[in-house]
Amino acid sequence: MTTQTLDKKNGTTEAEDVREVATPASKKAAKERKPSKLAGVLRGLTPEKSSAGFPVLIWTVFFRLVVLIADYLLVLSTAIALIPMLGAWLHQQSGDVYGDLTMSGTIAMWIAPLLFLVLVLAAAEIAVMRAMWRWASRRIQSIRDARAGDALVTTPRTNSQNKNANRKRSN
C-alpha cells in the first residue's frame, strides 16, 4: 500500500495533482479531433431507430448474400480439401495401400467409414448453415423492428394459448 503525501500549499495529494494536469490536455485534444470520414460512413450504414439509412430490402439482400457466400465457402472447402484428405487417410489406415484387402474388405474398412464421415460432415454443415440463416433472419428482423419504431415485440399466439382461452371454466 502506498502512502500519499499532501502538498503543503493547497492540501491535495500527488495523484489528484496529476489528474488535474492530465485532464485539461486530454479535453483539449478531444475537442480538436474531428471524426474520421470512415467513422461517418460506418455510422450512416448502421440501422437506427429512424427511417434514415439503407432500406430494409438492401439489408436483407446483404445479410442473405453474406450467409450464402459463407455457405458456399464452407461446402467448397469441405468438398475440395477435407473429404479427399479423410479418404486418403482412411485408405492408408485400412491397409488397402499395399493391396492386401479384398473388395469386401475395402468396402468395410475404407469406403463405409468414409461414407459415414461424409454424412456426419454434411449434417454438421447443414446445422451450421441453418444457424447462420437464423442469425441473418434475426438481424433483418431487428432492422425491421427498428425501422418500424416498435419497441414492443409481439409474440404470435400459440395453440396452448388458444386452448386456455377456449376452455370451460368451472365454478
Side-chain angles (χ1 to χ4, degrees):
M1 183 180 281
T2 63
T3 58
Q4 296 180 346
T5 58
L6 288 175
D7 188 11
K8 292 181 183 178
K9 294 180 206 170
N10 56 9
T12 61
T13 62
E14 291 174 358
E16 290 172 352
D17 287 340
V18 170
R19 271 187 260 133
E20 288 175 5
V21 172
T23 304
S26 63
K27 286 182 181 177
K28 185 179 178 182
K31 287 180 182 177
E32 291 177 1
R33 276 189 300 191
K34 295 180 180 176
S36 68
K37 290 182 181 180
L38 178 62
V41 169
L42 291 176
R43 199 174 306 114
L45 290 176
T46 57
E48 299 173 357
K49 293 202 183 252
S50 67
S51 62
F54 285 125
V56 176
L57 178 64
I58 293 176
W59 283 110
T60 303
V61 170
F62 170 73
F63 283 118
R64 297 297 186 208
L65 193 61
V66 166
V67 169
L68 289 175
I69 289 172
D71 289 346
Y72 174 75
L73 291 175
L74 179 67
V75 169
L76 191 69
S77 63
T78 302
I80 291 177
L82 192 59
I83 291 175
M85 286 191 313
L86 281 172
W89 180 76
L90 283 171
H91 184 69
Q92 184 180 16
Q93 295 298 319
S94 69
D96 196 25
V97 176
Y98 308 112
D100 296 339
L101 291 176
T102 63
M103 182 55 102
S104 60
T106 301
I107 292 171
M109 297 294 291
W110 181 64
I111 295 175
L114 180 62
L115 181 62
F116 174 75
L117 288 175
V118 168
L119 291 175
V120 168
L121 279 173
E125 284 183 0
I126 289 170
V128 168
M129 289 177 191
R130 286 181 56 136
M132 287 191 297
W133 193 264
R134 288 178 181 161
W135 169 81
S137 297
R138 285 191 305 267
R139 294 291 302 153
I140 292 165
Q141 189 62 43
S142 69
I143 292 170
R144 282 187 189 140
D145 291 344
R147 295 292 166 91
D150 294 334
L152 299 175
V153 177
T154 59
T155 57
R157 193 170 190 160
T158 61
N159 289 338
S160 62
Q161 291 171 339
N162 289 340
K163 288 178 184 176
N164 290 339
N166 295 332
R167 188 173 33 177
K168 280 186 178 178
R169 299 188 195 282
S170 62
N171 292 333

